[in-house]
Amino acid sequence: MIDITDKIKTLRVAKAQAVVKMSPETVSLIKNKEVPKGDVFEVSRAVAILSAKRVSEFLPFCHNIPVEWVGVEFDLKDEGILKIEVTVKSIARTGCEMEALFSVMLCALNIYDMLKPVDKNIEITDIKVVEKKGGKSDFVEEIPEGFKVGVLVVSDSVFAGKKSDKSGKIIVDKLKGLGIQNIEYKIVPDEKTMIEKEVLSWCEGGFDLILTTGGTGLSPRDTTPEAVKPLIEREIPAIMEVSRVYGQERTPYAMLPRGIAGIRGKTLIITLPGSSRGVEESMNALFPYVLHLFKVMKISEWH
């Protein structure tokens, strides 16, 4: 199986179709409810719903996702063409197209089984996904031209050369993976005045985004939130709430960092944990989604 533990949960929607070809006489039997095995559509609808919930039992690489809703539509033409569409919705870390495909396929097979005593020339065709929504690909944000980011590593030991930086480099690599190239990287000790000076300098220098890592814990030297909070003009609590919720699903210690986020002028400032694991999880939780903020701010300027 593919490891999807680093993904966020989003609303996933998939629609699949199948076409069943039959004789016009069989169409008449269905419409008049004269098929010997019973009501073709109602039985097949139940088959579709049940099968959508059991895909992972038969396909070994499919994840066992929560199926929140299954919709089944039938469009029967007099000339003998039945189009089946199954829509599946799930709030999960991976898509539900296999659930929709499996469901529509079993639905078509059940129709075949119910009709084969009265029609020997039934044909199932055109099984395919016709719609898929949700997941990271739906939340890709365009990086504005000249977008500038400052990455500030806050650590006494890294600044003194006693320890190599991992967290700052994780941030830089993640940003580059998103297509952001204009990145300034600095290291400062856990000194409130130095943190404040660097962040303020980047804000005044027209940086779009500032990410700090370190100094958000509970030791006497952890003062990043105290240094940054007075600089923030508009706090955005939900940014760090989302980060903590994401982390809490993976470790109970995600509740401990005191990170904050907000805007000064047109600069977004986010204070991330100092641990490499905490930084990686925070970046996975927030990016690229948080970059939508810049589009929202630009739209608000127009109005």
Side-chain angles (χ1 to χ4, degrees), residues 122-135:
I122 300 172
E123 182 182 353
I124 298 173
T125 65
D126 297 323
I127 298 176
K128 61 184 178 181
V129 174
V130 295
E131 183 181 334
K132 179 185 175 184
K133 294 190 293 185

Side-chain angles (χ1 to χ4, degrees), residues 44-54 67 70-72 86 103 107:
S44 298
R45 191 187 309 275
V47 169
I49 293 170
L50 288 169
S51 58
K53 302 174 184 178
R54 301 189 61 184
V67 173
V70 182
V72 187
V86 173
S103 176
C107 181

Side-chain angles (χ1 to χ4, degrees), residues 37-249:
K37 289 189 176 182
D39 190 317
V40 172
F41 291 158
E42 290 310 308
V43 176
S44 298
R45 191 187 309 275
V47 169
I49 293 170
L50 288 169
S51 58
K53 302 174 184 178
R54 301 189 61 184
V55 178
S56 63
E57 296 178 30
F58 299 95
L59 302 180
F61 297 106
C62 279
H63 297 84
N64 185 14
I65 65 171
V67 173
E68 313 286 359
W69 182 77
V70 182
V72 187
E73 298 292 335
F74 301 103
D75 183 13
L76 180 59
K77 304 296 185 183
D78 289 338
E79 62 268 26
I81 302 295
L82 170 61
K83 183 179 178 181
I84 312 164
E85 284 191 343
V86 173
T87 304
V88 177
K89 293 184 180 181
S90 175
I91 297 175
R93 294 188 176 92
T94 190
C96 52
E97 64 269 28
M98 293 309 300
E99 281 69 20
L101 275 172
F102 191 78
S103 176
V104 81
M105 183 178 68
L106 267 292
C107 181
L109 285 173
N110 184 72
I111 290 171
Y112 185 102
D113 178 60
M114 293 185 71
L115 296 180
K116 70 180 191 296
V118 297
D119 192 335
K120 303 302 181 184
N121 297 307
I122 300 172
E123 182 182 353
I124 298 173
T125 65
D126 297 323
I127 298 176
K128 61 184 178 181
V129 174
V130 295
E131 183 181 334
K132 179 185 175 184
K133 294 190 293 185
K136 185 179 289 187
S137 59
D138 279 11
F139 302 101
V140 174
E141 296 294 333
E142 185 177 347
I143 308 302
E145 188 175 349
F147 193 81
K148 292 196 295 183
V149 182
V151 177
L152 188 66
V153 178
V154 181
S155 170
D156 287 333
S157 56
V158 174
F159 183 78
K162 297 178 180 178
K163 185 179 176 183
S164 62
D165 168 53
K166 293 182 180 178
S167 298
K169 291 175 181 176
I170 288 172
I171 295 173
V172 171
D173 288 344
K174 177 74 172 180
L175 294 173
K176 287 182 176 178
L178 295 172
I180 300 171
Q181 298 300 325
N182 194 352
I183 304 170
E184 189 167 325
Y185 168 89
K186 287 187 179 180
I187 302 171
V188 296
D190 288 283
E191 293 290 347
K192 183 180 175 182
T193 55
M194 293 185 70
I195 299 167
E196 183 179 323
K197 178 183 175 182
E198 292 297 341
V199 172
L200 189 58
S201 173
W202 278 339
C203 289
E204 293 174 348
F207 278 64
D208 299 281
L209 173 64
I210 297 171
L211 297 170
T212 72
T213 172
T216 63
L218 295 164
S219 77
R221 294 285 290 169
D222 288 330
T223 58
T224 299
E226 287 74 19
V228 170
K229 191 165 187 177
L231 305 179
I232 289 177
E233 296 168 344
R234 303 179 73 184
E235 192 168 355
I236 313 175
I239 289 179
M240 297 316 298
E241 288 169 9
V242 165
S243 178
R244 281 187 273 268
V245 167
Y246 180 97
Q248 198 69 25
E249 290 185 328

